[in-house]
Amino acid sequence: STPSTPKSTTTPPPAETRTTTTSPPSTTTTVTGSPTTIRTPGSVITRTPEVPPTEPISNSQSPTPSVSTAHTTTVGTEISTPMTSSATVSTPTTSPAVTTTTTSGPSSPESTASSTVSLPSVSTSPVSTTTSGTTPTKTFTTTSGTTSSSFITINATTTSTTFKTLPPGSTTTSGPTATSTAVTATGSDSWWLCDCVKAICIEDNIVQVIPVICNPPPKPTCANGLSPVPVIDEDGCCWHWECDCYCTGWGDPHYMTFDGLYYSYQGNCTYVLVEEINKKVDNFGVYIDNYHCDTRDVVSCPRTLIVRHETQEVRLRTAQPNTLQVEVTVNNQLVALPYKKFGVSIYESGINRVVEIPELKMNVTYNGLSFSIRMPYSLFGNNTQGQCGTCNNNTADDCMLPNGNIAENCETMADHWQVVDPSKPQCSPGLIPTGSPSTTPTQPCEESSICELLLGSVFKPCHAFVQPEKYYTACVFDSCVLPNLDLECSSLQIYAATCADQGVCIDWRNHTNGVCSHECPPGKEYRACGPIKEMTCKSRGQNDTSTEQVEGCFCPNGTMLYDSGVDVCVKTCGCVGVDMIPREFGEKFTVDCQDCICLEGEHGIVCEPHECKQKPVTCDGEGFYEVKEVNPEDSCCPLFTCKCNTSFCTAKAPKCSLGFEVHSYIPSGQCCPAYQCVPKGVCVHESAEFLPNSSVFVDKCQNCICTNDVNVSTQLNIISCERVPCNTYCQPGYELKPVKGECCGKCVQTKCIIHTADNSELILSPGDFKNDPRNNCTIYSCVDVHNQLIASTSEITCPAFNEDSCKPGTISFLPNGCCKTCAPLDSRTPCSVRQRKDFIVYNGCRSVDRVELTECEGTCGTFSLYSAEANSMDHSCSCCRETRTTEKHVVLKCPGGHSMSHKYVYVESCSCQDTECSKPESNELQNNKENDEASALNRIKRAISLTSK
């Protein structure tokens, strides 16, 4: 229903309202005075209150069932005292039952103009509906069951009073679902004896005891298409139906208001989802922070859901875009779940984070892609505003603006619910918002096949409870506008969550070919239909009758969650410490350097400091220092060891000579290195190093190479050289002579080349002469005159020779081999071997016996002839010399008594041999030569004299 004013108010409910049915019809008498209540065991009838249905209730989608209004007769009581009591008796024409409504407490006559029904809570989401006598009502969300009662009368002291019957036209009805009348009595005229049994003072101390009997009320239809929920009446006996305020949002984003109106909105500011019209709760509201989630800044997605309640502000923020990762802060401080403080409870439920405010019987869920808000109608009916609309079971006013006017569409309305957000300076509440950009695809779009699942057999079990068309429209929109973000999964997820809320669980993710898959952390497994609150070791003994289900990651079968704040699955409920490792009772372990034991009882894990046992370490020696290391066997007890740091060492490396390098080594048990120069294995030449097998330049006349051979003394590799190949052959008469600055020598003529008469070549050295092989009278000679070789040929002219003047047998050739001569009669003996015996003395040692010695002795011819060709004198000199000798051995006796072996020359033959004839020399040289010859002769004579001794 559309309120007549922007912020409507309701008449507060009376202190207590109750509906009872009496059978058979009876007349009620009210007595004034001070009644005395007599309670006897026989006067009390106790009846257990009826329990409303807990199973999901099917939404028939049919019009609200009508209930015929009974004809009633009203009886009024006039009382002369200030405290008045009035009663209305309703007598139906079609039923023998009489409905009586009794209100305790004072009442004014004007109060009979309206009827107020106040309903208590049931489960976690109560609903109350208040109808005002001044506001016309077309439909109702509250139906009451009928009750029957019987009377037990108790006698007591009474006083008189007067009754007056009112005319029949004063009957008051409260809608098509129930008929009721009001009875007003004093505050002490009725009371509850026990469960569902009420006592009423009638008259003369007569007390009427009424056990309440409940009949199931008819089921209404909720505007949001969801099933109504049963709610216990305030008296705790009967129950009625209510339509919860249920708002959802998902995707980019799409909204479903409290009354079920669907719209999409693409703003990127922070907005009011729910606030109260009449402020009853201090600092209460739910807000959403949207952001542009595509590169074109066309569509938006929810980023943060904000819940404010009194002194706390809870923020549920998506940690990563388009994921189910949500972080929770309270007053801008990160908190761990579960969290409970100052009337706000936050916990995980499947894939959702849930903020619950038990005092308000409301909860808010968020998973990063979608949100839902559930609030009780009894506390928030007709008192909500924001993007979630007005919760009154009527969609006509869901697009209400902050000023109370109704917008043409909710997209326009949503713009006006901006709030101040310092993080978004571009957003300013009160400014006229610009038109939202068009999100209609420019080209025909083929929706994702995932959206078809909503209308197909996968979700068919839920179609009778929640209509899928609006979710399908949202899915197609997301798949067309943002085809790469997989946002269409959020439409399926929120639809499945709404189905689960209505008691229909759908396992749908396996049908999306992995597009909408949900990965669970290690040790957990995915379930589409898990419990709202997973059983833990601490809650396993509690009787949890909740049948609601939610998708998420749960502990595998055979295990359970250790605790709601300890996300560890265990097989047996022992202990779980800070290391998040399950322990069994009695198990000993070490964690955080504490020796712990898991004990059964209140304290659970009991720890004491871990004891370390290690001998002290002293680090002596240059370069060593103490260091603490992690012990691989016991991480709590570090290992103290001595480490070496060579930067602490004072010794410096020496400088090595060429061909050597510094070699360092660390002696055993020491830190600082020792140094020595070791050969590099190279050759060294002229301050350069050469590797083995490499060429070494020594000079251009040698090819040198560095070998692998090592010189023992220098420890360097040896350089092996070969001379550059040269032509070493020269023609006869030429010799190879070195040339300065050249590698190879040059053939230089060093001998005379003489062509003889028979065309043969004769080669003579300078100063040599030789007879012609066929004519001894022809002599060839070679002379070097100023480094010039001159060859000469001389013909010997023999003097006249008379053989008759010679002794027989003495004719011979002169040494020149050309001329004949003979020995004169008085000539001396020719050259021959002469033998003698004598002692040999050498270095003071002498032969024991005389030794046979030989020597050459005799005369040889010499001459000087003139050579006409040479134009000079030709000299021929000859001497008697040994021609063949042998070496012999003799034993010498020394003065010390020892003997020694001595070698001496033994002449075998002698002959006259040519010798060079010396030229005349200066007197001084001649004298020196003569002196030398004399000195030599004297030495010979002394030697002969010594040997003769």
Side-chain angles (χ1 to χ4, degrees), residues 6-29:
K7 296 187 178 181
S8 62
T9 60
T10 60
T11 302
E16 181 177 307
T17 300
R18 178 163 256 354
T19 301
T20 59
T21 300
T22 59
S23 180
S26 61
T27 302
T28 302
T29 303

Side-chain angles (χ1 to χ4, degrees), residues 17-18 47-52 118-121 192 195-196 212 214 231-239:
T17 300
R18 178 163 256 354
R47 187 172 186 84
T48 302
E50 181 178 347
V51 179
S118 178
L119 305 175
S121 61
W192 288 100
D195 291 343
C196 298
V212 180
C214 300
V231 179
I232 298 291
D233 293 341
E234 287 186 0
D235 57 18
C237 295
C238 299
W239 58 273

Side-chain angles (χ1 to χ4, degrees), residues 446-465:
E446 182 179 355
E447 65 271 12
S448 172
S449 59
I450 295 177
C451 300
E452 298 293 337
L453 296 175
L454 289 166
L455 305 179
S457 59
V458 175
F459 285 95
K460 187 175 181 180
C462 184
H463 290 173
F465 299 91

Side-chain angles (χ1 to χ4, degrees), residues 439-587:
T439 55
T440 303
T442 57
Q443 298 178 356
C445 169
E446 182 179 355
E447 65 271 12
S448 172
S449 59
I450 295 177
C451 300
E452 298 293 337
L453 296 175
L454 289 166
L455 305 179
S457 59
V458 175
F459 285 95
K460 187 175 181 180
C462 184
H463 290 173
F465 299 91
V466 182
Q467 296 298 317
E469 286 76 14
K470 298 174 183 178
Y471 302 93
Y472 175 78
T473 301
C475 181
V476 172
F477 178 85
D478 291 344
S479 66
C480 290
V481 177
L482 296 174
N484 298 323
L485 293 182
D486 297 332
L487 278 181
E488 56 267 30
C489 296
S490 62
S491 294
L492 277 71
Q493 184 270 321
I494 193 65
Y495 182 68
T498 306
C499 292
D501 181 77
Q502 297 298 301
V504 181
C505 182
I506 305 295
D507 188 358
W508 59 277
R509 292 188 183 269
N510 292 333
H511 300 275
T512 62
N513 296 325
V515 176
C516 303
S517 61
H518 180 65
E519 298 294 333
C520 290
K524 293 291 191 73
E525 63 181 18
Y526 173 80
R527 294 181 197 165
C529 309
I532 291 288
K533 290 187 177 181
E534 191 171 5
M535 184 176 65
T536 67
C537 288
K538 292 184 179 180
S539 67
R540 60 178 175 172
Q542 302 174 4
N543 185 17
D544 186 7
T545 60
S546 174
T547 59
E548 295 184 56
Q549 293 179 315
V550 67
E551 69 168 331
C553 297
F554 301 91
C555 290
N557 292 330
T559 64
M560 70 177 65
L561 197 64
Y562 180 76
D563 196 3
S564 56
V566 182
D567 193 17
V568 177
C569 298
V570 297
K571 293 183 179 180
T572 58
C573 293
C575 307
V576 174
V578 294
D579 57 355
M580 306 302 284
I581 299 177
R583 313 284 182 179
E584 295 185 359
F585 291 127
E587 181 178 349

Side-chain angles (χ1 to χ4, degrees), residues 20 134 194 722 826 933 939:
T20 59
T134 61
C194 52
E722 293 181 356
D826 56 351
E933 290 177 352
R939 287 196 298 272

Side-chain angles (χ1 to χ4, degrees), residues 269-271 285-290 303-309 312-319 325-337 339 344 346 353-355 364-366 368 419-424:
C269 297
T270 303
Y271 304 93
V286 182
Y287 311 87
I288 189 167
D289 169 17
N290 291 339
R303 175 166 52 195
T304 306
L305 201 68
I306 306 166
V307 181
R308 291 177 182 169
H309 179 253
Q312 300 188 94
E313 180 182 271
V314 180
R315 286 179 174 261
L316 309 177
R317 182 179 179 275
T318 304
Q325 300 179 21
V326 177
E327 63 181 19
V328 182
T329 62
V330 177
N331 295 339
N332 296 320
Q333 296 292 327
L334 278 172
V335 296
L337 302 186
Y339 170 91
V344 175
I346 312 172
R353 305 298 185 272
V354 181
V355 180
V364 178
T365 66
Y366 184 66
V419 296
V420 176
D421 189 343
S423 65
K424 296 183 176 182

Side-chain angles (χ1 to χ4, degrees), residues 66-67 363 453 479 509 615 641 832 855:
S66 61
V67 179
N363 63 67
L453 296 175
S479 66
R509 292 188 183 269
K615 296 181 180 179
T641 57
S832 61
E855 55 191 19

Side-chain angles (χ1 to χ4, degrees), residues 484-756:
N484 298 323
L485 293 182
D486 297 332
L487 278 181
E488 56 267 30
C489 296
S490 62
S491 294
L492 277 71
Q493 184 270 321
I494 193 65
Y495 182 68
T498 306
C499 292
D501 181 77
Q502 297 298 301
V504 181
C505 182
I506 305 295
D507 188 358
W508 59 277
R509 292 188 183 269
N510 292 333
H511 300 275
T512 62
N513 296 325
V515 176
C516 303
S517 61
H518 180 65
E519 298 294 333
C520 290
K524 293 291 191 73
E525 63 181 18
Y526 173 80
R527 294 181 197 165
C529 309
I532 291 288
K533 290 187 177 181
E534 191 171 5
M535 184 176 65
T536 67
C537 288
K538 292 184 179 180
S539 67
R540 60 178 175 172
Q542 302 174 4
N543 185 17
D544 186 7
T545 60
S546 174
T547 59
E548 295 184 56
Q549 293 179 315
V550 67
E551 69 168 331
C553 297
F554 301 91
C555 290
N557 292 330
T559 64
M560 70 177 65
L561 197 64
Y562 180 76
D563 196 3
S564 56
V566 182
D567 193 17
V568 177
C569 298
V570 297
K571 293 183 179 180
T572 58
C573 293
C575 307
V576 174
V578 294
D579 57 355
M580 306 302 284
I581 299 177
R583 313 284 182 179
E584 295 185 359
F585 291 127
E587 181 178 349
K588 296 181 179 179
F589 57 97
T590 300
V591 62
D592 288 345
C593 299
Q594 298 277 320
D595 293 330
C596 305
I597 184 172
C598 173
L599 298 177
E600 187 173 3
E602 179 180 356
H603 297 289
I605 298 176
V606 178
C607 300
E608 59 183 14
H610 184 68
E611 184 179 356
C612 298
K613 296 180 181 180
Q614 183 181 1
K615 296 181 180 179
V617 177
T618 56
C619 300
D620 297 329
E622 187 180 18
F624 285 110
Y625 68 99
E626 186 179 283
V627 66
K628 182 169 67 173
E629 295 180 334
V630 176
N631 188 348
E633 297 180 356
D634 188 351
S635 59
C636 296
C637 296
L639 293 177
F640 293 92
T641 57
C642 293
K643 289 291 184 180
C644 170
N645 188 343
T646 55
S647 63
F648 299 157
C649 299
T650 58
K652 303 298 181 183
K655 186 176 181 180
C656 298
S657 58
L658 207 62
F660 293 83
E661 63 183 353
V662 176
H663 174 69
S664 63
Y665 66 96
I666 299 178
S668 177
Q670 297 185 17
C671 170
C672 295
Y675 302 97
Q676 64 179 5
C677 293
V678 296
K680 292 183 179 180
V682 297
C683 300
V684 176
H685 177 68
E686 294 183 353
S687 301
E689 295 179 348
F690 299 89
L691 295 174
N693 301 320
S694 61
S695 298
V696 181
F697 179 80
V698 176
D699 57 56
K700 64 179 181 179
C701 298
Q702 298 184 82
N703 289 330
C704 300
I705 188 171
C706 178
T707 66
N708 288 305
D709 299 331
V710 179
N711 188 318
V712 178
S713 60
T714 64
Q715 296 295 308
L716 298 175
N717 288 29
I718 298 174
I719 299 175
S720 176
C721 297
E722 293 181 356
R723 292 197 63 83
V724 176
C726 296
N727 183 19
T728 58
Y729 172 76
C730 292
Q731 295 180 358
Y734 290 81
E735 291 183 2
L736 195 64
K737 297 293 185 180
V739 179
K740 186 176 181 181
E742 298 293 334
C743 296
C744 298
K746 185 178 181 181
C747 290
V748 179
Q749 185 176 358
T750 58
K751 296 180 181 179
C752 296
I753 303 173
I754 302 174
H755 296 279
T756 62

